[in-house]
Amino acid sequence: MGRRTAWVGTSWKMNKGPAEAVAAARALAELSIPPHVQPFVVPPFTSLKDVCSILRDKNILVGAQNMHWENAGAWTGEVSPPMVKECGAALVELGHSERRTYFGETDQTVNLKVLAALKYGLKPLICIGDTQEEYAFNVTNEVLARQVKIALHGVKAHEFENILLAYEPVWAIGEKGRPAEADFVQNCHEQVRQTLIELAGEETAERIPVLYGGSVNLENAPHYAALPDVDGVFVGRAAWPVAGFKAIIESIAT
Ligand code: PEP
Protein backbone atom coordinates (compact mmCIF):
# COMPACT_ATOMS: atom_id res chain seq x y z
CA MET A 1 0.00 0.00 0.00
CA GLY A 2 1.50 3.31 -1.06
CA ARG A 3 1.81 6.38 1.08
CA ARG A 4 -1.12 8.09 -0.59
CA THR A 5 -3.67 5.54 0.45
CA ALA A 6 -6.10 7.49 2.63
CA TRP A 7 -6.79 5.68 5.89
CA VAL A 8 -10.13 6.39 7.55
CA GLY A 9 -10.74 4.73 10.88
CA THR A 10 -12.98 4.95 13.86
CA SER A 11 -12.78 3.57 17.38
CA TRP A 12 -16.18 2.97 18.88
CA LYS A 13 -14.58 3.34 22.33
CA MET A 14 -16.98 2.10 25.07
CA ASN A 15 -20.01 2.28 22.81
CA LYS A 16 -22.17 -0.34 21.06
CA GLY A 17 -22.98 -3.56 22.90
CA PRO A 18 -22.73 -6.86 20.99
CA ALA A 19 -26.12 -6.55 19.23
CA GLU A 20 -25.58 -2.94 18.16
CA ALA A 21 -22.02 -3.69 17.03
CA VAL A 22 -23.18 -6.61 14.88
CA ALA A 23 -25.87 -4.43 13.29
CA ALA A 24 -23.29 -1.71 12.58
CA ALA A 25 -20.82 -4.23 11.13
CA ARG A 26 -23.54 -5.62 8.82
CA ALA A 27 -24.26 -2.09 7.61
CA LEU A 28 -20.51 -1.49 7.10
CA ALA A 29 -20.30 -4.70 5.06
CA GLU A 30 -22.73 -3.16 2.57
CA LEU A 31 -20.60 -0.08 1.91
CA SER A 32 -18.76 0.22 -1.35
CA ILE A 33 -15.26 1.36 -0.58
CA PRO A 34 -13.70 3.84 -3.01
CA PRO A 35 -10.27 2.96 -4.44
CA HIS A 36 -7.27 4.30 -2.50
CA VAL A 37 -9.25 4.46 0.76
CA GLN A 38 -8.48 2.01 3.57
CA PRO A 39 -11.19 2.06 6.23
CA PHE A 40 -10.91 0.40 9.63
CA VAL A 41 -13.10 0.06 12.72
CA VAL A 42 -12.08 -0.59 16.29
CA PRO A 43 -14.98 -2.13 18.26
CA PRO A 44 -15.00 -3.01 21.98
CA PHE A 45 -13.60 -6.45 22.89
CA THR A 46 -17.13 -7.81 23.48
CA SER A 47 -17.86 -7.68 19.75
CA LEU A 48 -14.37 -7.95 18.26
CA LYS A 49 -14.79 -11.54 17.04
CA ASP A 50 -18.27 -10.94 15.55
CA VAL A 51 -17.25 -7.75 13.79
CA CYS A 52 -14.14 -9.48 12.41
CA SER A 53 -16.23 -12.37 11.04
CA ILE A 54 -18.76 -10.06 9.40
CA LEU A 55 -16.06 -7.95 7.74
CA ARG A 56 -13.64 -10.80 6.97
CA ASP A 57 -13.89 -10.57 3.17
CA LYS A 58 -14.52 -6.83 3.01
CA ASN A 59 -11.96 -4.12 2.52
CA ILE A 60 -12.48 -2.80 6.06
CA LEU A 61 -9.86 -3.73 8.63
CA VAL A 62 -10.84 -4.43 12.22
CA GLY A 63 -8.78 -3.68 15.32
CA ALA A 64 -8.78 -4.03 19.10
CA GLN A 65 -8.73 -0.97 21.36
CA ASN A 66 -5.85 -2.18 23.55
CA MET A 67 -4.10 -5.38 24.63
CA HIS A 68 -1.49 -6.68 27.07
CA TRP A 69 2.06 -7.42 25.90
CA GLU A 70 2.32 -10.91 27.44
CA ASN A 71 0.87 -13.85 25.53
CA ALA A 72 -0.83 -15.42 28.57
CA GLY A 73 -0.76 -15.47 32.36
CA ALA A 74 -2.18 -14.10 35.59
CA TRP A 75 -3.26 -10.69 34.30
CA THR A 76 -6.88 -10.38 35.42
CA GLY A 77 -8.99 -8.27 33.11
CA GLU A 78 -6.44 -8.17 30.31
CA VAL A 79 -6.52 -9.51 26.75
CA SER A 80 -3.43 -10.98 25.09
CA PRO A 81 -2.00 -10.57 21.56
CA PRO A 82 -2.87 -14.17 20.53
CA MET A 83 -6.43 -13.64 21.78
CA VAL A 84 -6.77 -10.52 19.65
CA LYS A 85 -5.25 -12.36 16.69
CA GLU A 86 -7.57 -15.36 17.14
CA CYS A 87 -10.58 -13.03 17.02
CA GLY A 88 -9.45 -12.13 13.50
CA ALA A 89 -8.23 -8.58 14.14
CA ALA A 90 -5.68 -7.06 11.78
CA LEU A 91 -4.65 -4.16 13.96
CA VAL A 92 -4.51 -2.98 17.54
CA GLU A 93 -4.84 0.58 18.80
CA LEU A 94 -2.18 1.42 21.39
CA GLY A 95 -1.49 4.46 23.55
CA HIS A 96 -4.74 6.35 23.04
CA SER A 97 -4.76 9.43 25.28
CA GLU A 98 -7.71 8.05 27.26
CA ARG A 99 -5.61 4.96 28.11
CA ARG A 100 -2.63 7.17 28.99
CA THR A 101 -4.70 9.60 31.10
CA TYR A 102 -7.11 7.26 32.92
CA PHE A 103 -5.43 3.83 32.89
CA GLY A 104 -1.75 4.54 33.46
CA GLU A 105 -0.52 3.73 29.94
CA THR A 106 3.05 5.00 29.51
CA ASP A 107 5.46 5.31 26.59
CA GLN A 108 7.24 2.22 27.96
CA THR A 109 4.11 0.04 28.09
CA VAL A 110 3.16 1.26 24.63
CA ASN A 111 6.60 0.10 23.45
CA LEU A 112 6.13 -3.37 25.00
CA LYS A 113 2.74 -3.62 23.31
CA VAL A 114 4.08 -2.45 19.93
CA LEU A 115 6.77 -5.14 20.00
CA ALA A 116 4.19 -7.77 21.02
CA ALA A 117 1.79 -6.69 18.27
CA LEU A 118 4.50 -6.99 15.62
CA LYS A 119 5.52 -10.40 16.95
CA TYR A 120 1.95 -11.65 16.55
CA GLY A 121 1.39 -10.12 13.11
CA LEU A 122 -0.90 -7.34 14.32
CA LYS A 123 -0.50 -3.82 12.95
CA PRO A 124 0.02 -1.43 15.87
CA LEU A 125 -1.91 1.82 15.48
CA ILE A 126 0.14 3.99 17.83
CA CYS A 127 -1.60 7.10 19.14
CA ILE A 128 0.59 10.03 20.12
CA GLY A 129 -0.31 13.55 21.16
CA ASP A 130 0.53 16.59 23.23
CA THR A 131 -1.52 17.70 26.24
CA GLN A 132 -2.94 21.22 26.48
CA GLU A 133 -0.11 22.11 28.88
CA GLU A 134 2.61 20.78 26.55
CA TYR A 135 1.02 22.66 23.66
CA ALA A 136 0.92 25.88 25.69
CA PHE A 137 4.64 25.51 26.58
CA ASN A 138 5.39 24.95 22.88
CA VAL A 139 7.01 21.55 23.38
CA THR A 140 4.67 19.61 21.06
CA ASN A 141 7.46 18.56 18.70
CA GLU A 142 9.67 17.33 21.53
CA VAL A 143 6.77 15.37 23.07
CA LEU A 144 5.89 13.74 19.74
CA ALA A 145 9.53 12.84 19.03
CA ARG A 146 9.86 11.25 22.48
CA GLN A 147 6.62 9.30 22.15
CA VAL A 148 7.54 8.00 18.68
CA LYS A 149 11.13 7.09 19.64
CA ILE A 150 10.08 5.19 22.77
CA ALA A 151 7.09 3.48 21.12
CA LEU A 152 9.30 2.24 18.28
CA HIS A 153 12.36 1.34 20.35
CA GLY A 154 13.60 -2.08 19.28
CA VAL A 155 11.44 -2.32 16.15
CA LYS A 156 13.39 -4.15 13.44
CA ALA A 157 14.01 -2.58 10.03
CA HIS A 158 11.63 -4.92 8.19
CA GLU A 159 8.84 -4.34 10.76
CA PHE A 160 8.47 -0.58 10.24
CA GLU A 161 6.19 -1.11 7.25
CA ASN A 162 3.57 -2.65 9.57
CA ILE A 163 3.33 0.45 11.75
CA LEU A 164 0.51 2.99 11.72
CA LEU A 165 0.69 6.24 13.69
CA ALA A 166 -2.07 8.67 14.64
CA TYR A 167 -1.29 12.18 15.85
CA GLU A 168 -4.11 13.14 18.18
CA PRO A 169 -3.58 16.32 20.20
CA VAL A 170 -5.16 15.62 23.59
CA TRP A 171 -6.68 19.12 23.52
CA ALA A 172 -8.47 18.31 20.26
CA ILE A 173 -10.13 15.06 21.36
CA GLY A 174 -13.72 14.69 22.50
CA GLU A 175 -16.71 16.95 23.02
CA LYS A 176 -14.67 19.66 24.73
CA GLY A 177 -11.86 19.39 22.17
CA ARG A 178 -11.00 22.06 19.67
CA PRO A 179 -9.92 20.90 16.21
CA ALA A 180 -6.30 21.77 15.40
CA GLU A 181 -5.44 24.27 12.68
CA ALA A 182 -4.43 22.64 9.40
CA ASP A 183 -1.01 24.39 9.29
CA PHE A 184 -0.23 23.22 12.79
CA VAL A 185 -1.19 19.64 11.90
CA GLN A 186 0.95 19.65 8.76
CA ASN A 187 3.90 20.98 10.75
CA CYS A 188 3.51 18.29 13.45
CA HIS A 189 3.23 15.55 10.84
CA GLU A 190 6.36 16.84 9.10
CA GLN A 191 8.21 16.63 12.41
CA VAL A 192 6.90 13.12 13.06
CA ARG A 193 8.06 12.16 9.57
CA GLN A 194 11.53 13.53 10.39
CA THR A 195 11.65 11.35 13.51
CA LEU A 196 10.59 8.34 11.44
CA ILE A 197 13.35 9.13 8.92
CA GLU A 198 15.89 9.14 11.77
CA LEU A 199 14.64 5.76 12.95
CA ALA A 200 13.86 3.93 9.72
CA GLY A 201 15.50 5.83 6.86
CA GLU A 202 13.77 8.01 4.29
CA GLU A 203 12.33 5.37 1.99
CA THR A 204 10.67 3.38 4.77
CA ALA A 205 9.55 6.47 6.70
CA GLU A 206 7.71 7.74 3.62
CA ARG A 207 5.64 4.55 3.63
CA ILE A 208 4.50 4.73 7.27
CA PRO A 209 0.97 6.13 7.41
CA VAL A 210 0.55 9.00 9.88
CA LEU A 211 -3.12 9.77 10.51
CA TYR A 212 -4.65 12.82 12.17
CA GLY A 213 -7.34 12.56 14.85
CA GLY A 214 -9.15 14.87 17.25
CA SER A 215 -12.62 16.32 16.58
CA VAL A 216 -12.48 15.24 12.94
CA ASN A 217 -15.87 15.64 11.27
CA LEU A 218 -17.43 15.60 7.82
CA GLU A 219 -16.52 19.22 7.21
CA ASN A 220 -12.85 19.20 8.23
CA ALA A 221 -11.89 15.60 7.29
CA PRO A 222 -11.13 16.29 3.60
CA HIS A 223 -8.98 19.30 4.55
CA TYR A 224 -6.86 17.29 6.98
CA ALA A 225 -6.61 14.36 4.57
CA ALA A 226 -5.38 16.66 1.79
CA LEU A 227 -2.35 17.85 3.80
CA PRO A 228 0.92 16.57 2.31
CA ASP A 229 2.08 14.64 5.38
CA VAL A 230 -1.34 13.41 6.53
CA ASP A 231 -2.26 9.91 5.38
CA GLY A 232 -5.82 9.84 6.61
CA VAL A 233 -7.98 10.46 9.64
CA PHE A 234 -8.83 8.68 12.86
CA VAL A 235 -12.32 9.66 13.94
CA GLY A 236 -14.33 9.29 17.12
CA ARG A 237 -17.83 10.69 17.62
CA ALA A 238 -18.51 11.78 14.04
CA ALA A 239 -18.01 8.25 12.70
CA TRP A 240 -19.88 6.23 15.31
CA PRO A 241 -23.08 6.21 13.21
CA VAL A 242 -22.36 4.15 10.09
CA ALA A 243 -23.85 6.97 7.98
CA GLY A 244 -21.30 9.39 9.46
CA PHE A 245 -18.41 7.02 8.75
CA LYS A 246 -19.64 6.47 5.18
CA ALA A 247 -19.98 10.23 4.58
CA ILE A 248 -16.41 10.87 5.81
CA ILE A 249 -15.03 8.07 3.62
CA GLU A 250 -16.81 9.56 0.61
CA SER A 251 -15.71 13.12 1.42
CA ILE A 252 -12.08 11.99 1.41
CA ALA A 253 -12.39 9.91 -1.74
CA THR A 254 -13.68 12.84 -3.76
C1 PEP B 1 -10.27 9.97 19.52
O1 PEP B 1 -10.57 9.89 20.70
O2 PEP B 1 -9.36 9.27 19.04
C2 PEP B 1 -11.00 10.89 18.69
C3 PEP B 1 -10.48 11.22 17.56
O3 PEP B 1 -12.20 11.34 19.19
P1 PEP B 1 -13.11 12.51 18.61
O4 PEP B 1 -13.12 12.42 17.10
O5 PEP B 1 -14.48 12.23 19.18
O6 PEP B 1 -12.53 13.79 19.07
Side-chain angles (χ1 to χ4, degrees), residues 11 13 93 96-98 127 168 172-175 213-216 234-238 240:
S11 162
K13 305 194 182 185
E93 180 183 354
H96 187 276
S97 75
E98 286 149 16
C127 301
E168 302 201 293
I173 291 177
E175 270 167 33
S215 292
V216 172
F234 191 29
V235 195
R237 292 154 295 148
W240 291 341

Side-chain angles (χ1 to χ4, degrees), residues 190-240:
E190 249 175 67
Q191 295 299 321
V192 169
R193 191 78 61 195
Q194 278 310 315
T195 305
L196 292 172
I197 290 172
E198 263 180 58
L199 296 175
E202 187 151 2
E203 215 187 302
T204 304
E206 288 296 320
R207 291 204 300 267
I208 300 174
V210 185
L211 283 51
Y212 173 74
S215 292
V216 172
N217 55 36
L218 181 56
E219 202 178 296
N220 61 27
H223 300 295
Y224 288 129
L227 296 170
D229 275 284
V230 174
D231 300 291
V233 287
F234 191 29
V235 195
R237 292 154 295 148
W240 291 341

Side-chain angles (χ1 to χ4, degrees), residues 76-100:
T76 301
E78 290 291 323
V79 169
S80 73
M83 290 173 188
V84 171
K85 188 77 186 166
E86 192 180 332
C87 286
L91 58 92
V92 58
E93 180 183 354
L94 299 173
H96 187 276
S97 75
E98 286 149 16
R99 303 275 341 149
R100 293 179 192 255

Side-chain angles (χ1 to χ4, degrees), residues 5-245:
T5 293
W7 292 73
V8 183
T10 180
S11 162
W12 292 342
K13 305 194 182 185
M14 199 174 69
N15 295 292
K16 300 191 200 293
E20 198 185 338
V22 163
R26 289 196 179 124
L28 288 171
E30 298 301 314
L31 300 185
S32 66
I33 308 300
H36 310 302
V37 177
Q38 178 59 71
F40 64 92
V41 284
V42 187
F45 284 123
T46 45
S47 49
L48 183 60
K49 187 165 184 274
D50 285 341
V51 173
C52 286
S53 318
I54 294 165
L55 296 176
R56 187 184 298 130
D57 300 322
K58 308 289 170 185
N59 185 22
I60 300 181
L61 301 177
V62 182
Q65 294 184 15
N66 178 36
M67 66 175 193
H68 200 274
W69 56 88
E70 291 288 348
N71 65 355
W75 299 99
T76 301
E78 290 291 323
V79 169
S80 73
M83 290 173 188
V84 171
K85 188 77 186 166
E86 192 180 332
C87 286
L91 58 92
V92 58
E93 180 183 354
L94 299 173
H96 187 276
S97 75
E98 286 149 16
R99 303 275 341 149
R100 293 179 192 255
T101 306
Y102 306 119
F103 301 101
E105 189 81 271
T106 63
D107 290 332
Q108 286 88 340
T109 54
V110 170
N111 176 240
L112 289 169
K113 293 176 182 192
V114 167
L115 298 177
L118 292 168
K119 182 171 158 195
Y120 284 92
L122 292 161
K123 238 178 197 322
L125 165 63
I126 306 161
C127 301
I128 54 171
D130 47 333
T131 62
Q132 172 59 43
E133 196 184 30
E134 289 160 343
Y135 171 81
F137 280 116
N138 197 22
V139 292
T140 297
N141 289 337
E142 290 85 343
V143 169
L144 298 183
R146 189 201 72 225
Q147 290 178 339
V148 170
K149 284 181 184 177
I150 298 178
L152 298 180
H153 187 77
V155 170
K156 298 188 184 78
H158 70 274
E159 293 173 325
F160 277 99
E161 64 192 41
N162 293 321
I163 301 287
L164 282 173
L165 283 171
Y167 169 49
E168 302 201 293
V170 180
W171 42 269
I173 291 177
E175 270 167 33
K176 293 191 183 134
R178 115 191 106 77
E181 298 290 334
D183 286 357
F184 180 82
V185 172
Q186 169 54 24
N187 194 10
C188 292
H189 280 236
E190 249 175 67
Q191 295 299 321
V192 169
R193 191 78 61 195
Q194 278 310 315
T195 305
L196 292 172
I197 290 172
E198 263 180 58
L199 296 175
E202 187 151 2
E203 215 187 302
T204 304
E206 288 296 320
R207 291 204 300 267
I208 300 174
V210 185
L211 283 51
Y212 173 74
S215 292
V216 172
N217 55 36
L218 181 56
E219 202 178 296
N220 61 27
H223 300 295
Y224 288 129
L227 296 170
D229 275 284
V230 174
D231 300 291
V233 287
F234 191 29
V235 195
R237 292 154 295 148
W240 291 341
V242 172
F245 191 45

